[in-house]
């Protein structure tokens, strides 16, 4: 795979050269300003769980945070009482845990789930995150 392009201004890395992005102007602190303290803790746990799989860039944007390796594969939006998490998978999964599933293509599904507390990070969710991480790395076999 070709090397990532690095934005000379903010250092963010992307697969596509000159990709339109927020250019480092948003902060995590600002994103979580209206959330209860436990929402930050849940998010920190989410970051920790993903870092356990491998290195990841955590990028704050205007209204969400994205996790990326080569491409965005997970992230979410802080709400007042929970973190609205999401991640990509290449196949359809039916689970009552998802609040929303968006399909972008025959092998691209965006799963949304509500992260109320650190208890959501169980073996099942860890398994999904490992698969999402491989999508982020654009590995063929996921
Ligand atoms: Zn930039």
């Amino acid at each position: 795979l070709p090397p990532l392009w690095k934005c000379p201004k903010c250092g963010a890395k992307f697969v596509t050269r000159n990709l339109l992005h927020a250019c480092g102007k948003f902060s995590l602190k600002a994103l979580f300003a209206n959330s209860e303290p436990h929402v930050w803790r849940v998010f920190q746990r989410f970051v920790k769980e993903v870092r356990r799989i491998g290195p990841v860039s955590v990028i704050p944007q205007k209204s969400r945070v994205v996790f990326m390796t080569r491409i965005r594969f997970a992230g979410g939006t802080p709400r007042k009482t929970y973190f609205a998490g999401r991640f990509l998978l290449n196949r359809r999964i039916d689970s009552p845990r998802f609040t929303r599933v968006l399909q972008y293509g025959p092998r691209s599904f965006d799963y949304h789930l509500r992260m109320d507390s650190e208890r959501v990070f169980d073996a099942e969710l860890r398994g999904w995150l490992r698969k999402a991480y491989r999508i982020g790395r654009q590995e063929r076999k996921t």
Side-chain angles (χ1 to χ4, degrees), residues 5 7-12 14 19 21-24:
W5 173 76
C7 172
K9 284 189 209 155
C10 71
F14 299 98
L19 186 80
H21 64 284
C23 216

Side-chain angles (χ1 to χ4, degrees), residues 59-117:
I59 304 161
Q61 296 184 334
K62 192 178 179 186
S63 61
R64 63 177 187 171
V65 188
V66 301
F67 292 1
M68 74 180 266
T69 45
R70 290 186 61 84
I71 59 167
R72 296 166 190 163
F73 66 92
T77 303
R79 303 290 186 198
K80 187 169 170 56
T81 60
Y82 64 95
F83 187 77
R86 56 199 285 190
F87 54 85
L88 295 178
L89 291 179
N90 61 7
R91 63 193 173 93
R92 163 78 69 184
I93 291 170
D94 290 312
S95 165
R97 299 180 73 175
F98 301 127
T99 53
R100 196 177 184 200
V101 181
L102 300 175
Q103 186 170 1
Y104 301 135
R107 284 172 63 76
S108 184
F109 298 88
D110 181 6
Y111 292 93
H112 294 229
L113 96 170
R114 198 179 155 118
M115 298 173 170
D116 302 282
S117 84

